[in-house]
Amino acid sequence: VIFRLRNSLFVFSTRLACALSVPKMFAVSLVRSSLSSSLRSSLTSAQRRLFSTTYYAKTHEWLKVDKPGEGTLGITSYAKEQLGEVVYVDLPDVGKSVQQKQTLVSIESVKAVGEVYAPVDCEVVAVNDALKDDQAGINDDPEGGGWLAKIKFSGEIEGMLDRAAYDKHLEAEG
C-alpha cells in the first residue's frame, strides 16, 4: 500500500510539475499539503513521514515548506538542548538575501553563541519579532512557536533530511 501510494504521488507530482512549469519538489509539496487532515490522521506514522513537508539539516536547522517556494525556518530541539537557555536572538532584516550555508541568524545562550545557516538560497520575508524581547518561544518550543524566520526560496531543497533520517544522523553523531 505504501509503495502504491508513494508511486502514485510521484507520478501525479511529476505530471503536475510539468503542467504548472514548476520544480518537481514544489509539486510534491503542493500535493502533500492538499491532503485532508482526516486522511493524514488515518495514516500510520510511516505513511505520514511520506507526506512530511518538514526537512532537517545536519547542522540542526529545520525548514517547513508552507507552500511552494516559501517556508518557515528554525532550530531543532537537539540544537536548543546543546545551546542551553537562549538569552538573545539576532534576527535578520526582512528582505535580506542569503545563500545556502551562510549564516542567517545568531543565537546567544548561557553556554555559547550559535549560528543558524540558511538551508537553501533564500530571502527573508518575515521574522519572529516575539523573540526580540522574550526568548521563551525558542526555549520552550524551538520546533514550533520558536521559529526564527519565514523565507522565500527557489529551486530544489537539496541535502536536507526527513525526520527519520535526521534522527539516524543524531544517533550517529552520538
Side-chain angles (χ1 to χ4, degrees):
V1 173
I2 292 174
F3 175 76
R4 283 189 207 143
L5 187 58
R6 183 176 297 167
N7 190 39
S8 297
L9 174 65
F10 174 78
V11 171
F12 182 73
S13 298
T14 302
R15 289 180 182 164
L16 184 63
C18 290
L20 297 177
S21 298
V22 297
K24 186 175 151 209
M25 183 57 84
F26 293 150
V28 170
S29 295
L30 183 63
V31 170
R32 287 177 178 168
S33 65
S34 67
L35 290 174
S36 70
S37 60
S38 61
L39 174 59
R40 286 185 187 189
S41 64
S42 68
L43 297 174
T44 67
S45 62
Q47 291 168 324
R48 260 186 256 122
R49 277 196 306 272
L50 172 65
F51 295 105
S52 173
T53 56
T54 302
Y55 302 93
Y56 300 86
K58 290 182 178 181
T59 51
H60 310 294
E61 294 87 11
W62 56 265
L63 173 65
K64 180 178 184 277
V65 178
D66 300 321
K67 60 183 178 180
E70 293 185 18
T72 303
L73 178 69
I75 63 168
T76 63
S77 297
Y78 176 82
K80 195 304 191 174
E81 288 172 18
Q82 297 304 304
L83 284 168
E85 182 181 351
V86 174
V87 295
Y88 178 74
V89 180
D90 185 18
L91 296 168
D93 294 328
V94 171
K96 180 178 182 177
S97 292
V98 180
Q99 291 182 339
Q100 184 179 23
K101 298 183 182 178
Q102 286 186 330
T103 300
L104 185 62
V105 177
S106 292
I107 299 176
E108 293 181 24
S109 73
V110 294
K111 290 183 181 178
V113 174
E115 294 183 333
V116 178
Y117 303 105
V120 293
D121 292 349
C122 62
E123 176 187 346
V124 177
V125 295
V127 295
N128 190 347
D129 287 322
L131 297 178
K132 289 180 180 177
D133 299 322
D134 182 13
Q135 293 73 39
I138 200 166
N139 284 317
D140 297 338
D141 189 18
E143 294 187 40
W147 62 273
L148 301 170
K150 296 200 179 270
I151 59 172
K152 273 187 174 180
F153 61 92
S154 60
E156 299 290 326
I157 298 172
E158 296 177 3
M160 295 193 78
L161 311 169
D162 65 13
R163 187 67 203 208
Y166 178 70
D167 289 342
K168 284 182 183 178
H169 168 71
L170 289 179
E171 288 176 21
E173 203 172 70

